[in-house]
Each structure stands twice: as structure tokens, then as C-alpha cells.
Amino acid sequence: MLLLLASAYYSMINVIGFAMMGIDKNRAVKHQWRIPEATLLLCAFLGGGIGSWLGMSIFHHKTHKRKFQLFVPLSIVLHIGIIFYLITYFK
């Protein structure tokens, strides 16, 4: 049951991270109100790092920003570590 909930959570937060990158890129092109960078990074650190990274790559968005180059991959590594820890803890 816990595995199912964790899978659902990570799936949803990564879809949200991906969508946020696409929406922000679209708004940037149209010179509209933007999603704050702190919100984009928060989504990555809440578990949406893979979706955010894919969104960065596909939409070519925030790829030259140093904080996104560092913190989005760091969030992925952090959550992979958390997942492995939980797997070994609940084994």
C-alpha cells in the first residue's frame, strides 16, 4: 500500500514539475506573468525533480540558470537517496 501511494505521489509531482516548466516557458515567450523560480525549485525538491529536468530539457527553459543546473539534479539525487533509504528501512 505504501509503495502504491509513494508511486502515485512521485508520478503526480513529476507531472506537475514538467507542466510548470512548460507553462512558465510559454508565459515567458508571451511576456506574461511568470511562475516564480522559488516555486519551480520547490516543486523539484518536493519530488518533482525528474519532471522538472525533463521540462527544462524539452522546453529549453532555465537551462542556462546556474541554480537550476545545480539544484534540479541535486533534488533528483536527494529523492533517489530517500527512496533507497525507505526501501531498505521497510524491508
Side-chain angles (χ1 to χ4, degrees):
M1 182 67 171
L2 184 59
L3 181 62
L4 181 62
L5 289 173
S7 297
Y9 172 76
Y10 278 110
S11 296
M12 290 300 294
I13 196 72
N14 279 288
V15 167
I16 291 168
F18 181 82
M20 285 175 64
M21 285 294 179
I23 291 166
D24 193 52
K25 175 65 176 195
N26 187 36
R27 289 179 177 175
V29 170
K30 294 180 178 181
H31 303 288
Q32 294 177 337
W33 176 85
R34 306 277 302 279
I35 298 171
E37 288 184 352
T39 304
L40 296 172
L41 288 171
L42 178 64
C43 182
F45 273 95
L46 290 176
I50 294 172
S52 296
W53 180 75
L54 285 172
M56 285 174 61
S57 300
I58 290 172
F59 301 119
H60 304 286
H61 189 52
K62 304 287 187 188
T63 55
H64 296 293
K65 294 261 186 173
R66 181 72 65 198
K67 43 180 162 174
F68 283 87
Q69 291 174 342
L70 291 170
F71 290 128
V72 171
L74 179 64
S75 72
I76 295 169
V77 170
L78 173 71
H79 279 276
I80 288 173
I82 290 170
I83 290 167
F84 279 125
Y85 172 77
L86 291 174
I87 288 171
T88 58
Y89 180 78
F90 286 111
K91 213 170 200 184

